[in-house]
Amino acid sequence: QVQVMESGGEPVQAGGSLRLVCTASGLRVDSPAMAWFRQAPGKEREGVSCISSSGDTDYEDSVKGRFTSSRDNTKNTLYLQMNSLKPEDTGMYFCAARDGSVDYFIGGCPTRTYYAYWGQGTQVTVSA
């Protein structure tokens, strides 16, 4: 049974930092393609970053230079380091995984339909 679980979200003041952690278990591949998405109240879920099996990353424009995604394949764990947080970063952050490997992405991150497995989310609230 595949399980995806996020942690690390909490209230933080603007300008602060957080590190989100996602663990994935039960997948057939050792280094699955994974991603972070977020959803603000009343808005569509949007992609934040994606990471390939080899560690190639891409980011949504508004977080470039502030957020960094990385992975530890020995632990099947994905991280999202978020610096210089802004109130508009507030939302529920979801980790997603695909039970397959890909070395790199062409043309940006895949859409949400590319990922079959999702966590329950972890709340990030950034106050001004």
Side-chain angles (χ1 to χ4, degrees):
Q1 181 179 0
V2 176
Q3 289 189 324
V4 178
M5 186 177 299
E6 311 92 337
S7 63
E10 64 183 53
V12 64
Q13 289 193 329
S17 297
L18 284 176
R19 188 178 80 155
L20 304 185
V21 181
C22 170
T23 57
S25 61
L27 295 169
R28 295 175 300 168
V29 299
D30 292 332
S31 304
M34 300 182 74
W36 289 99
F37 287 75
R38 66 185 178 189
Q39 188 166 16
K43 294 190 176 181
E44 293 285 320
R45 190 172 299 188
E46 65 174 358
V48 175
S49 71
C50 57
I51 189 165
S52 73
S53 305
S54 63
D56 181 47
T57 56
D58 202 355
Y59 300 90
E60 192 268 330
D61 286 346
S62 71
V63 307
K64 284 181 179 177
R66 301 187 298 122
F67 290 11
T68 303
S69 181
S70 61
R71 67 190 304 159
D72 182 344
N73 289 334
T74 64
K75 301 178 182 178
N76 231 9
T77 300
L78 175 68
Y79 304 96
L80 184 67
Q81 178 65 42
M82 305 187 295
N83 299 328
S84 302
L85 282 161
K86 304 176 181 180
E88 51 264 42
D89 294 319
T90 293
M92 186 72 77
Y93 282 68
F94 298 91
C95 177
R98 177 181 175 90
D99 201 358
S101 59
V102 60
D103 288 333
Y104 55 88
F105 300 109
I106 298 175
C109 289
T111 62
R112 52 195 279 187
T113 57
Y114 181 81
Y115 302 95
Y117 302 101
W118 294 79
Q120 294 298 307
T122 185
Q123 179 67 37
V124 173
T125 303
V126 184
S127 58

